[in-house]
Amino acid sequence: MSAVKQGRVAGKTVLITGAAGGLGAAMAWMLARHGARVAVTDIDGARAADLAQAINAEIPGAAFAHAHDVADEDQWAAVIAAAVTQMGGLSVLVNNAGVGGALAFADSDTAENWQRQYEINLRSVMFGCKHAMPHLRASAPASIINISSIAGLAAAPGMGAYCATKAGVWMYTKAVALETAKQDWNVRCNSVHPVFINTPILEPFIAMAGGDEAKTHERLARGIPMKRIGEPDDVAYCVLYLASDESRFITGSEFKIDGGMTAQ
């Protein structure tokens, strides 16, 4: 995309974690170009600031940046408060930050690896929902979009901690969706489950293939019926839909961005 779109999320105020690059950056561009104001947060505050500057160069006043360690609950409270002040509210939360990678069993099943992935992939989602909820309710209709993974639905070797934490995001999303519906808060909550996407998250797989990116993409695409890996905008378009009022009657659902992989 190269031009500002009209209307689909006009007036929405969005916070996206892990947004300095990869999927998060694609989501930020997509939502801003369709009319939203976006707060991009990342543990790498400098890169988040660069992204916001680039968005604002095209769409003045559309983006704000914050350094943000999603594993730190105190930082969640501070970042959300600042974003709400800057944007005049919060109507969409995208819990995108995550870590992963395929490891040998002895490496993947260490207490340290499990703790790190639990804190960043799963517990941070709870922190985000907890601290954003009062602001989302005030801006209803509102939407929470939790980025899980196909690995949260279908297991893979060497990825025990990743599969477990992403499956936790899937189930936690449903619990939040039912709670908000029961309370009549008009805050939807859905999860998005990408397969292999052409972002830096593929770097461990490329390293295992001796640095051959083309060979890695070809190998990963073999199990996907559409015979390719995904691009960041494939996920960003789904997030755009879930952020918009077009999805007003959808909650507690999982969206598979997998080229048909889990249909087999």
Side-chain angles (χ1 to χ4, degrees):
M1 294 189 305
S2 59
V4 177
K5 305 298 181 181
Q6 298 298 319
R8 290 186 68 185
V9 285
K12 298 294 184 183
T13 49
V14 185
L15 188 147
I16 308 168
T17 65
L23 289 181
M27 295 169 195
W29 277 109
M30 180 74 71
L31 292 165
R33 285 169 168 163
H34 282 268
R37 303 180 84 192
V38 295
V40 295
T41 86
D42 201 279
I43 197 165
D44 188 339
R47 288 182 63 214
D50 288 344
L51 174 63
Q53 183 177 17
I55 292 172
N56 286 330
E58 179 179 313
I59 313 163
F64 306 87
H66 300 272
H68 184 194
D69 179 356
V70 295
D72 185 328
E73 183 171 10
D74 291 339
Q75 287 193 31
W76 266 107
V79 166
I80 287 177
V84 166
T85 297
Q86 290 169 327
M87 297 190 296
L90 182 65
S91 54
V92 180
L93 170 66
V94 185
N95 282 306
N96 171 68
V99 293
L103 301 168
F105 184 80
D107 296 320
S108 66
D109 273 14
T110 63
E112 293 79 11
N113 183 53
W114 273 77
Q115 185 66 24
R116 179 171 181 261
Q117 295 206 38
Y118 163 69
E119 289 180 355
I120 297 173
N121 293 351
L122 181 54
R123 191 174 66 166
S124 74
V125 174
M126 179 273 288
F127 288 156
C129 292
K130 172 184 174 181
H131 289 283
M133 191 63 72
H135 304 287
L136 295 169
R137 290 178 61 190
S139 299
S143 178
I144 298 169
I145 305 162
N146 295 328
I147 308 302
S148 178
S149 170
I150 285 300
L153 304 175
M159 299 176 68
Y162 188 73
C163 291
T165 53
K166 288 300 188 178
V169 171
W170 176 39
M171 282 293 106
Y172 180 70
T173 296
K174 291 180 179 293
V176 171
L178 292 175
E179 178 68 13
T180 57
K182 179 181 178 180
Q183 299 294 338
D184 198 23
W185 289 344
N186 202 10
V187 179
R188 309 183 308 282
C189 188
N190 295 285
S191 58
V192 175
H193 299 256
V195 73
F196 305 113
I197 305 294
N198 188 17
T199 69
I201 202 169
L202 297 186
E203 289 174 358
F205 298 97
I206 296 170
M208 287 191 292
D212 191 329
E213 182 175 339
K215 181 179 179 181
T216 301
H217 287 196
E218 180 183 359
R219 179 174 62 83
L220 294 176
R222 287 174 192 158
I224 300 174
M226 293 186 76
K227 301 301 181 187
R228 68 171 178 88
I229 64 172
E231 294 298 328
D233 272 0
D234 295 327
V235 180
Y237 273 115
C238 182
V239 169
L240 172 64
Y241 171 65
L242 292 173
S244 77
D245 291 340
E246 297 162 15
S247 58
R248 62 188 179 274
F249 196 52
I250 296 174
T251 196
S253 295
E254 58 281 336
F255 288 75
K256 304 170 187 176
I257 315 298
D258 70 349
M261 184 176 181
T262 54
Q264 300 180 96

